[in-house]
mmCIF file of all heavy atoms in Angstrom:
data_model
loop_
_atom_site.group_PDB
_atom_site.id
_atom_site.type_symbol
_atom_site.label_atom_id
_atom_site.label_comp_id
_atom_site.label_asym_id
_atom_site.label_seq_id
_atom_site.Cartn_x
_atom_site.Cartn_y
_atom_site.Cartn_z
ATOM 1 N N VAL A 238 29.392 -114.406 -16.832
ATOM 2 C CA VAL A 238 29.548 -115.848 -17.090
ATOM 3 C C VAL A 238 31.034 -116.222 -17.170
ATOM 4 O O VAL A 238 31.438 -117.320 -16.778
ATOM 5 C CB VAL A 238 28.752 -116.296 -18.345
ATOM 6 C CG1 VAL A 238 29.489 -116.041 -19.639
ATOM 7 C CG2 VAL A 238 28.374 -117.777 -18.222
ATOM 8 N N GLU A 239 31.866 -115.285 -17.617
ATOM 9 C CA GLU A 239 33.311 -115.568 -17.704
ATOM 10 C C GLU A 239 34.005 -115.449 -16.348
ATOM 11 O O GLU A 239 34.899 -116.221 -16.033
ATOM 12 C CB GLU A 239 33.991 -114.575 -18.666
ATOM 13 C CG GLU A 239 33.735 -114.858 -20.134
ATOM 14 C CD GLU A 239 34.331 -113.796 -21.060
ATOM 15 O OE1 GLU A 239 34.682 -112.675 -20.599
ATOM 16 O OE2 GLU A 239 34.415 -114.067 -22.257
ATOM 17 N N ARG A 240 33.606 -114.423 -15.557
ATOM 18 C CA ARG A 240 34.419 -114.093 -14.377
ATOM 19 C C ARG A 240 33.660 -113.969 -13.070
ATOM 20 O O ARG A 240 34.238 -113.672 -12.031
ATOM 21 C CB ARG A 240 35.203 -112.792 -14.649
ATOM 22 C CG ARG A 240 36.262 -112.993 -15.726
ATOM 23 C CD ARG A 240 37.198 -111.824 -15.846
ATOM 24 N NE ARG A 240 36.630 -110.751 -16.632
ATOM 25 C CZ ARG A 240 36.362 -109.533 -16.196
ATOM 26 N NH1 ARG A 240 36.622 -109.200 -14.953
ATOM 27 N NH2 ARG A 240 35.850 -108.624 -16.995
ATOM 28 N N GLY A 241 32.342 -114.150 -13.108
ATOM 29 C CA GLY A 241 31.546 -114.013 -11.879
ATOM 30 C C GLY A 241 31.889 -115.105 -10.880
ATOM 31 O O GLY A 241 32.363 -116.182 -11.249
ATOM 32 N N LYS A 242 31.641 -114.791 -9.614
ATOM 33 C CA LYS A 242 31.957 -115.745 -8.553
ATOM 34 C C LYS A 242 30.747 -116.653 -8.306
ATOM 35 O O LYS A 242 29.624 -116.161 -8.156
ATOM 36 C CB LYS A 242 32.301 -114.948 -7.284
ATOM 37 C CG LYS A 242 33.115 -115.709 -6.304
ATOM 38 C CD LYS A 242 33.696 -114.762 -5.240
ATOM 39 C CE LYS A 242 33.763 -115.515 -3.936
ATOM 40 N NZ LYS A 242 33.388 -114.740 -2.773
ATOM 41 N N VAL A 243 31.003 -117.963 -8.276
ATOM 42 C CA VAL A 243 29.913 -118.932 -8.145
ATOM 43 C C VAL A 243 29.060 -118.641 -6.909
ATOM 44 O O VAL A 243 29.585 -118.354 -5.834
ATOM 45 C CB VAL A 243 30.489 -120.363 -8.076
ATOM 46 C CG1 VAL A 243 29.414 -121.360 -7.641
ATOM 47 C CG2 VAL A 243 31.070 -120.764 -9.413
ATOM 48 N N GLY A 244 27.746 -118.727 -7.096
ATOM 49 C CA GLY A 244 26.805 -118.522 -5.984
ATOM 50 C C GLY A 244 26.436 -117.064 -5.769
ATOM 51 O O GLY A 244 25.569 -116.770 -4.952
ATOM 52 N N GLU A 245 27.087 -116.161 -6.514
ATOM 53 C CA GLU A 245 26.847 -114.718 -6.282
ATOM 54 C C GLU A 245 25.748 -114.177 -7.188
ATOM 55 O O GLU A 245 25.477 -114.721 -8.265
ATOM 56 C CB GLU A 245 28.120 -113.920 -6.560
ATOM 57 C CG GLU A 245 29.266 -114.234 -5.640
ATOM 58 C CD GLU A 245 29.176 -113.524 -4.293
ATOM 59 O OE1 GLU A 245 28.894 -112.312 -4.276
ATOM 60 O OE2 GLU A 245 29.395 -114.189 -3.269
ATOM 61 N N THR A 246 25.189 -113.071 -6.712
ATOM 62 C CA THR A 246 24.230 -112.292 -7.503
ATOM 63 C C THR A 246 24.896 -110.997 -7.922
ATOM 64 O O THR A 246 25.678 -110.422 -7.147
ATOM 65 C CB THR A 246 23.013 -111.935 -6.630
ATOM 66 O OG1 THR A 246 22.328 -113.137 -6.320
ATOM 67 C CG2 THR A 246 22.063 -110.991 -7.327
ATOM 68 N N TYR A 247 24.613 -110.552 -9.139
ATOM 69 C CA TYR A 247 25.101 -109.242 -9.589
ATOM 70 C C TYR A 247 23.910 -108.425 -10.100
ATOM 71 O O TYR A 247 23.169 -108.887 -10.965
ATOM 72 C CB TYR A 247 26.139 -109.402 -10.713
ATOM 73 C CG TYR A 247 27.379 -110.125 -10.245
ATOM 74 C CD1 TYR A 247 27.466 -111.520 -10.349
ATOM 75 C CD2 TYR A 247 28.433 -109.434 -9.666
ATOM 76 C CE1 TYR A 247 28.593 -112.194 -9.895
ATOM 77 C CE2 TYR A 247 29.565 -110.107 -9.208
ATOM 78 C CZ TYR A 247 29.633 -111.487 -9.329
ATOM 79 O OH TYR A 247 30.736 -112.154 -8.872
ATOM 80 N N CYS A 248 23.748 -107.220 -9.557
ATOM 81 C CA CYS A 248 22.732 -106.296 -10.063
ATOM 82 C C CYS A 248 23.334 -105.470 -11.198
ATOM 83 O O CYS A 248 24.471 -104.998 -11.097
ATOM 84 C CB CYS A 248 22.260 -105.359 -8.952
ATOM 85 S SG CYS A 248 21.079 -106.145 -7.841
ATOM 86 N N ILE A 249 22.562 -105.316 -12.269
ATOM 87 C CA ILE A 249 23.045 -104.587 -13.452
ATOM 88 C C ILE A 249 22.047 -103.471 -13.759
ATOM 89 O O ILE A 249 20.838 -103.730 -13.806
ATOM 90 C CB ILE A 249 23.147 -105.538 -14.676
ATOM 91 C CG1 ILE A 249 23.967 -106.791 -14.331
ATOM 92 C CG2 ILE A 249 23.760 -104.803 -15.871
ATOM 93 C CD1 ILE A 249 23.874 -107.888 -15.389
ATOM 94 N N GLY A 250 22.560 -102.260 -13.941
ATOM 95 C CA GLY A 250 21.647 -101.149 -14.210
ATOM 96 C C GLY A 250 22.307 -100.078 -15.050
ATOM 97 O O GLY A 250 23.505 -100.153 -15.352
ATOM 98 N N GLY A 251 21.505 -99.087 -15.427
ATOM 99 C CA GLY A 251 21.994 -98.085 -16.365
ATOM 100 C C GLY A 251 22.308 -96.741 -15.740
ATOM 101 O O GLY A 251 22.772 -95.835 -16.436
ATOM 102 N N ARG A 252 22.053 -96.588 -14.447
ATOM 103 C CA ARG A 252 22.189 -95.278 -13.799
ATOM 104 C C ARG A 252 21.509 -94.205 -14.651
ATOM 105 O O ARG A 252 22.026 -93.110 -14.820
ATOM 106 C CB ARG A 252 23.665 -94.918 -13.571
ATOM 107 C CG ARG A 252 24.404 -95.870 -12.619
ATOM 108 C CD ARG A 252 25.751 -95.302 -12.222
ATOM 109 N NE ARG A 252 26.591 -96.262 -11.524
ATOM 110 C CZ ARG A 252 26.499 -96.565 -10.230
ATOM 111 N NH1 ARG A 252 25.582 -95.979 -9.492
ATOM 112 N NH2 ARG A 252 27.313 -97.444 -9.686
#
Side-chain angles (χ1 to χ4, degrees):
V238 83
E239 285 176 344
R240 292 190 279 117
K242 202 166 147 220
V243 168
E245 296 279 314
T246 293
Y247 296 91
C248 281
I249 308 168
R252 297 192 191 279

